[in-house]
Amino acid sequence: AQSVTQLDSQVPVFEEAPVELRCNYSSSVSVYLFWYVQYPNQGLQLLLKYLSGSTLVKGINGFEAEFNKSQTSFHLRKPSVHISDTAEYFCAVSLSSGSARQLTFGSGTQLTVLP
Amino acid sequence: DTEVTQTPKHLVMGMTNKKSLKCEQHMGHRAMYWYKQKAKKPPELMFVYSYEKLSINESVPSRFSPECPNSSLLNLHLHALQPEDSALYLCASSQDRETGLATNEKLFFGSGTQLSVL
């Protein structure tokens, strides 16, 4: 079975500062990795995903993440955040079969961007 | 139209009530999902419908009863709920079956129904 750990439950950061949200996973087989964002009173929206190929993945809204197999990490980064980036961010992992049943979410990181 | 629409947005019900949550998508997706999300927690998969047939039931209590009348609609019928069932209920869809996440497909989520059971 796979698991996901998001090391920080809350990350406050000032506007225009860089941010990194950390995600580590555990799995004995190949996995696919995802980052979802959830704005207040909204459903989840896919930010980006890693399936294979280049380890640096670019997503929407200026976010990017880097897959590091040796460190089993998939950290999310943005060089300059905006107030509108305030949201809950979920890292998720899926077995290489891609089944939604195998999609495991981390516990989430609340990103709060301060003026 | 790339939306999953859920109604109602908010629902308050007593433990003896019967209510239904509705979900609709017009993207031609053939897999639809119900998730339950408690506050400050990740979503938990409840049910998956694939081609209008129930393909996954994650050991959900029978007081939750899903229904997929056609390929665009997904309902969740609620009866005799408990206060601990209060949560955000999210509907999602994906293009084809439940195995589509590996390619260019993704889960499209609705905004959810915030349910309070008194």
PDB file of all heavy atoms in Angstrom, chain A residues 90-113:
ATOM      1  N   PHE A  90      -3.375  19.626  -1.345  1.00  0.00           N
ATOM      2  CA  PHE A  90      -3.283  18.198  -1.066  1.00  0.00           C
ATOM      3  C   PHE A  90      -2.340  17.540  -2.061  1.00  0.00           C
ATOM      4  O   PHE A  90      -2.499  17.693  -3.279  1.00  0.00           O
ATOM      5  CB  PHE A  90      -4.660  17.527  -1.182  1.00  0.00           C
ATOM      6  CG  PHE A  90      -5.630  17.917  -0.104  1.00  0.00           C
ATOM      7  CD1 PHE A  90      -6.594  18.884  -0.351  1.00  0.00           C
ATOM      8  CD2 PHE A  90      -5.591  17.313   1.147  1.00  0.00           C
ATOM      9  CE1 PHE A  90      -7.508  19.244   0.636  1.00  0.00           C
ATOM     10  CE2 PHE A  90      -6.488  17.674   2.146  1.00  0.00           C
ATOM     11  CZ  PHE A  90      -7.438  18.637   1.887  1.00  0.00           C
ATOM     12  N   CYS A  91      -1.395  16.797  -1.524  1.00  0.00           N
ATOM     13  CA  CYS A  91      -0.568  15.922  -2.330  1.00  0.00           C
ATOM     14  C   CYS A  91      -1.265  14.568  -2.398  1.00  0.00           C
ATOM     15  O   CYS A  91      -1.922  14.157  -1.424  1.00  0.00           O
ATOM     16  CB  CYS A  91       0.810  15.785  -1.674  1.00  0.00           C
ATOM     17  SG  CYS A  91       1.985  14.774  -2.571  1.00  0.00           S
ATOM     18  N   ALA A  92      -1.178  13.886  -3.522  1.00  0.00           N
ATOM     19  CA  ALA A  92      -1.844  12.596  -3.661  1.00  0.00           C
ATOM     20  C   ALA A  92      -0.975  11.659  -4.484  1.00  0.00           C
ATOM     21  O   ALA A  92      -0.201  12.094  -5.339  1.00  0.00           O
ATOM     22  CB  ALA A  92      -3.216  12.756  -4.305  1.00  0.00           C
ATOM     23  N   VAL A  93      -1.126  10.384  -4.232  1.00  0.00           N
ATOM     24  CA  VAL A  93      -0.364   9.372  -4.948  1.00  0.00           C
ATOM     25  C   VAL A  93      -1.315   8.296  -5.436  1.00  0.00           C
ATOM     26  O   VAL A  93      -2.301   7.965  -4.777  1.00  0.00           O
ATOM     27  CB  VAL A  93       0.739   8.777  -4.037  1.00  0.00           C
ATOM     28  CG1 VAL A  93       0.143   8.099  -2.819  1.00  0.00           C
ATOM     29  CG2 VAL A  93       1.599   7.790  -4.802  1.00  0.00           C
ATOM     30  N   SER A  94      -1.026   7.789  -6.617  1.00  0.00           N
ATOM     31  CA  SER A  94      -1.828   6.723  -7.185  1.00  0.00           C
ATOM     32  C   SER A  94      -0.895   5.647  -7.709  1.00  0.00           C
ATOM     33  O   SER A  94       0.166   5.951  -8.257  1.00  0.00           O
ATOM     34  CB  SER A  94      -2.685   7.267  -8.320  1.00  0.00           C
ATOM     35  OG  SER A  94      -3.386   6.234  -8.980  1.00  0.00           O
ATOM     36  N   LEU A  95      -1.311   4.402  -7.547  1.00  0.00           N
ATOM     37  CA  LEU A  95      -0.513   3.326  -8.126  1.00  0.00           C
ATOM     38  C   LEU A  95      -0.481   3.477  -9.640  1.00  0.00           C
ATOM     39  O   LEU A  95      -1.338   4.100 -10.231  1.00  0.00           O
ATOM     40  CB  LEU A  95      -1.092   1.968  -7.737  1.00  0.00           C
ATOM     41  CG  LEU A  95      -1.017   1.608  -6.257  1.00  0.00           C
ATOM     42  CD1 LEU A  95      -1.577   0.214  -6.030  1.00  0.00           C
ATOM     43  CD2 LEU A  95       0.408   1.716  -5.734  1.00  0.00           C
ATOM     44  N   SER A  96       0.481   2.909 -10.246  1.00  0.00           N
ATOM     45  CA  SER A  96       0.695   3.109 -11.676  1.00  0.00           C
ATOM     46  C   SER A  96      -0.461   2.614 -12.519  1.00  0.00           C
ATOM     47  O   SER A  96      -0.527   2.897 -13.700  1.00  0.00           O
ATOM     48  CB  SER A  96       1.990   2.431 -12.128  1.00  0.00           C
ATOM     49  OG  SER A  96       1.963   1.057 -11.816  1.00  0.00           O
ATOM     50  N   SER A  97      -1.394   1.893 -11.926  1.00  0.00           N
ATOM     51  CA  SER A  97      -2.589   1.528 -12.681  1.00  0.00           C
ATOM     52  C   SER A  97      -3.479   2.729 -12.927  1.00  0.00           C
ATOM     53  O   SER A  97      -4.339   2.700 -13.784  1.00  0.00           O
ATOM     54  CB  SER A  97      -3.389   0.466 -11.917  1.00  0.00           C
ATOM     55  OG  SER A  97      -3.940   1.031 -10.740  1.00  0.00           O
ATOM     56  N   GLY A  98      -3.272   3.776 -12.151  1.00  0.00           N
ATOM     57  CA  GLY A  98      -4.032   4.997 -12.353  1.00  0.00           C
ATOM     58  C   GLY A  98      -5.445   4.955 -11.830  1.00  0.00           C
ATOM     59  O   GLY A  98      -6.233   5.842 -12.090  1.00  0.00           O
ATOM     60  N   SER A  99      -5.787   3.929 -11.067  1.00  0.00           N
ATOM     61  CA  SER A  99      -7.155   3.808 -10.594  1.00  0.00           C
ATOM     62  C   SER A  99      -7.457   4.821  -9.504  1.00  0.00           C
ATOM     63  O   SER A  99      -6.669   5.013  -8.595  1.00  0.00           O
ATOM     64  CB  SER A  99      -7.390   2.409 -10.045  1.00  0.00           C
ATOM     65  OG  SER A  99      -8.631   2.351  -9.366  1.00  0.00           O
ATOM     66  N   ALA A 100      -8.639   5.412  -9.601  1.00  0.00           N
ATOM     67  CA  ALA A 100      -9.049   6.375  -8.580  1.00  0.00           C
ATOM     68  C   ALA A 100      -9.159   5.701  -7.226  1.00  0.00           C
ATOM     69  O   ALA A 100      -9.003   6.316  -6.182  1.00  0.00           O
ATOM     70  CB  ALA A 100     -10.372   7.019  -8.955  1.00  0.00           C
ATOM     71  N   ARG A 101      -9.447   4.390  -7.235  1.00  0.00           N
ATOM     72  CA  ARG A 101      -9.548   3.692  -5.962  1.00  0.00           C
ATOM     73  C   ARG A 101      -8.211   3.719  -5.241  1.00  0.00           C
ATOM     74  O   ARG A 101      -8.146   3.658  -4.029  1.00  0.00           O
ATOM     75  CB  ARG A 101      -9.976   2.255  -6.206  1.00  0.00           C
ATOM     76  CG  ARG A 101     -10.226   1.468  -4.928  1.00  0.00           C
ATOM     77  CD  ARG A 101     -10.753   0.101  -5.231  1.00  0.00           C
ATOM     78  NE  ARG A 101     -11.441  -0.476  -4.088  1.00  0.00           N
ATOM     79  CZ  ARG A 101     -12.107  -1.603  -4.123  1.00  0.00           C
ATOM     80  NH1 ARG A 101     -12.202  -2.283  -5.235  1.00  0.00           N
ATOM     81  NH2 ARG A 101     -12.709  -2.052  -3.049  1.00  0.00           N
ATOM     82  N   GLN A 102      -7.126   3.771  -5.997  1.00  0.00           N
ATOM     83  CA  GLN A 102      -5.799   3.757  -5.416  1.00  0.00           C
ATOM     84  C   GLN A 102      -5.278   5.152  -5.132  1.00  0.00           C
ATOM     85  O   GLN A 102      -4.124   5.302  -4.759  1.00  0.00           O
ATOM     86  CB  GLN A 102      -4.831   3.040  -6.366  1.00  0.00           C
ATOM     87  CG  GLN A 102      -5.324   1.707  -6.897  1.00  0.00           C
ATOM     88  CD  GLN A 102      -5.489   0.697  -5.786  1.00  0.00           C
ATOM     89  OE1 GLN A 102      -4.846   0.822  -4.768  1.00  0.00           O
ATOM     90  NE2 GLN A 102      -6.339  -0.274  -5.994  1.00  0.00           N
ATOM     91  N   LEU A 103      -6.087   6.175  -5.333  1.00  0.00           N
ATOM     92  CA  LEU A 103      -5.643   7.542  -5.120  1.00  0.00           C
ATOM     93  C   LEU A 103      -5.678   7.843  -3.631  1.00  0.00           C
ATOM     94  O   LEU A 103      -6.740   7.866  -3.019  1.00  0.00           O
ATOM     95  CB  LEU A 103      -6.544   8.511  -5.885  1.00  0.00           C
ATOM     96  CG  LEU A 103      -6.135   9.980  -5.917  1.00  0.00           C
ATOM     97  CD1 LEU A 103      -4.817  10.149  -6.647  1.00  0.00           C
ATOM     98  CD2 LEU A 103      -7.222  10.808  -6.582  1.00  0.00           C
ATOM     99  N   THR A 104      -4.524   8.062  -3.064  1.00  0.00           N
ATOM    100  CA  THR A 104      -4.397   8.336  -1.636  1.00  0.00           C
ATOM    101  C   THR A 104      -3.972   9.776  -1.434  1.00  0.00           C
ATOM    102  O   THR A 104      -2.953  10.207  -1.992  1.00  0.00           O
ATOM    103  CB  THR A 104      -3.352   7.400  -1.000  1.00  0.00           C
ATOM    104  OG1 THR A 104      -3.746   6.052  -1.199  1.00  0.00           O
ATOM    105  CG2 THR A 104      -3.222   7.672   0.497  1.00  0.00           C
ATOM    106  N   PHE A 105      -4.725  10.495  -0.650  1.00  0.00           N
ATOM    107  CA  PHE A 105      -4.418  11.905  -0.390  1.00  0.00           C
ATOM    108  C   PHE A 105      -3.590  12.044   0.884  1.00  0.00           C
ATOM    109  O   PHE A 105      -3.745  11.273   1.837  1.00  0.00           O
ATOM    110  CB  PHE A 105      -5.707  12.711  -0.208  1.00  0.00           C
ATOM    111  CG  PHE A 105      -6.493  12.931  -1.469  1.00  0.00           C
ATOM    112  CD1 PHE A 105      -7.523  12.073  -1.824  1.00  0.00           C
ATOM    113  CD2 PHE A 105      -6.208  14.003  -2.295  1.00  0.00           C
ATOM    114  CE1 PHE A 105      -8.262  12.279  -2.983  1.00  0.00           C
ATOM    115  CE2 PHE A 105      -6.939  14.218  -3.458  1.00  0.00           C
ATOM    116  CZ  PHE A 105      -7.967  13.348  -3.795  1.00  0.00           C
ATOM    117  N   GLY A 106      -2.730  13.050   0.895  1.00  0.00           N
ATOM    118  CA  GLY A 106      -2.093  13.451   2.137  1.00  0.00           C
ATOM    119  C   GLY A 106      -3.070  14.230   2.992  1.00  0.00           C
ATOM    120  O   GLY A 106      -4.213  14.485   2.594  1.00  0.00           O
ATOM    121  N   SER A 107      -2.617  14.614   4.169  1.00  0.00           N
ATOM    122  CA  SER A 107      -3.502  15.271   5.138  1.00  0.00           C
ATOM    123  C   SER A 107      -3.746  16.740   4.836  1.00  0.00           C
ATOM    124  O   SER A 107      -4.584  17.367   5.462  1.00  0.00           O
ATOM    125  CB  SER A 107      -2.922  15.128   6.548  1.00  0.00           C
ATOM    126  OG  SER A 107      -1.599  15.629   6.566  1.00  0.00           O
ATOM    127  N   GLY A 108      -2.999  17.274   3.873  1.00  0.00           N
ATOM    128  CA  GLY A 108      -3.234  18.659   3.458  1.00  0.00           C
ATOM    129  C   GLY A 108      -2.327  19.660   4.128  1.00  0.00           C
ATOM    130  O   GLY A 108      -1.862  19.457   5.257  1.00  0.00           O
ATOM    131  N   THR A 109      -2.041  20.739   3.418  1.00  0.00           N
ATOM    132  CA  THR A 109      -1.282  21.877   3.940  1.00  0.00           C
ATOM    133  C   THR A 109      -2.069  23.141   3.664  1.00  0.00           C
ATOM    134  O   THR A 109      -2.416  23.420   2.513  1.00  0.00           O
ATOM    135  CB  THR A 109       0.103  21.994   3.276  1.00  0.00           C
ATOM    136  OG1 THR A 109       0.878  20.839   3.572  1.00  0.00           O
ATOM    137  CG2 THR A 109       0.834  23.237   3.776  1.00  0.00           C
ATOM    138  N   GLN A 110      -2.362  23.877   4.715  1.00  0.00           N
ATOM    139  CA  GLN A 110      -3.050  25.160   4.556  1.00  0.00           C
ATOM    140  C   GLN A 110      -2.017  26.239   4.285  1.00  0.00           C
ATOM    141  O   GLN A 110      -1.189  26.561   5.148  1.00  0.00           O
ATOM    142  CB  GLN A 110      -3.853  25.500   5.809  1.00  0.00           C
ATOM    143  CG  GLN A 110      -4.468  26.894   5.790  1.00  0.00           C
ATOM    144  CD  GLN A 110      -5.517  27.070   4.705  1.00  0.00           C
ATOM    145  OE1 GLN A 110      -6.373  26.194   4.513  1.00  0.00           O
ATOM    146  NE2 GLN A 110      -5.467  28.192   3.981  1.00  0.00           N
ATOM    147  N   LEU A 111      -2.047  26.774   3.070  1.00  0.00           N
ATOM    148  CA  LEU A 111      -1.165  27.886   2.716  1.00  0.00           C
ATOM    149  C   LEU A 111      -1.919  29.188   2.937  1.00  0.00           C
ATOM    150  O   LEU A 111      -3.008  29.387   2.382  1.00  0.00           O
ATOM    151  CB  LEU A 111      -0.724  27.788   1.251  1.00  0.00           C
ATOM    152  CG  LEU A 111       0.060  28.983   0.708  1.00  0.00           C
ATOM    153  CD1 LEU A 111       1.399  29.125   1.427  1.00  0.00           C
ATOM    154  CD2 LEU A 111       0.269  28.853  -0.792  1.00  0.00           C
ATOM    155  N   THR A 112      -1.365  30.048   3.761  1.00  0.00           N
ATOM    156  CA  THR A 112      -1.960  31.363   4.016  1.00  0.00           C
ATOM    157  C   THR A 112      -0.967  32.422   3.572  1.00  0.00           C
ATOM    158  O   THR A 112       0.158  32.487   4.093  1.00  0.00           O
ATOM    159  CB  THR A 112      -2.280  31.554   5.506  1.00  0.00           C
ATOM    160  OG1 THR A 112      -3.185  30.515   5.921  1.00  0.00           O
ATOM    161  CG2 THR A 112      -2.934  32.904   5.742  1.00  0.00           C
ATOM    162  N   VAL A 113      -1.376  33.231   2.608  1.00  0.00           N
ATOM    163  CA  VAL A 113      -0.521  34.293   2.101  1.00  0.00           C
ATOM    164  C   VAL A 113      -0.927  35.589   2.780  1.00  0.00           C
ATOM    165  O   VAL A 113      -2.083  36.019   2.697  1.00  0.00           O
ATOM    166  CB  VAL A 113      -0.631  34.420   0.575  1.00  0.00           C
ATOM    167  CG1 VAL A 113       0.295  35.527   0.074  1.00  0.00           C
ATOM    168  CG2 VAL A 113      -0.281  33.090  -0.093  1.00  0.00           C
TER     169      VAL A 113
END
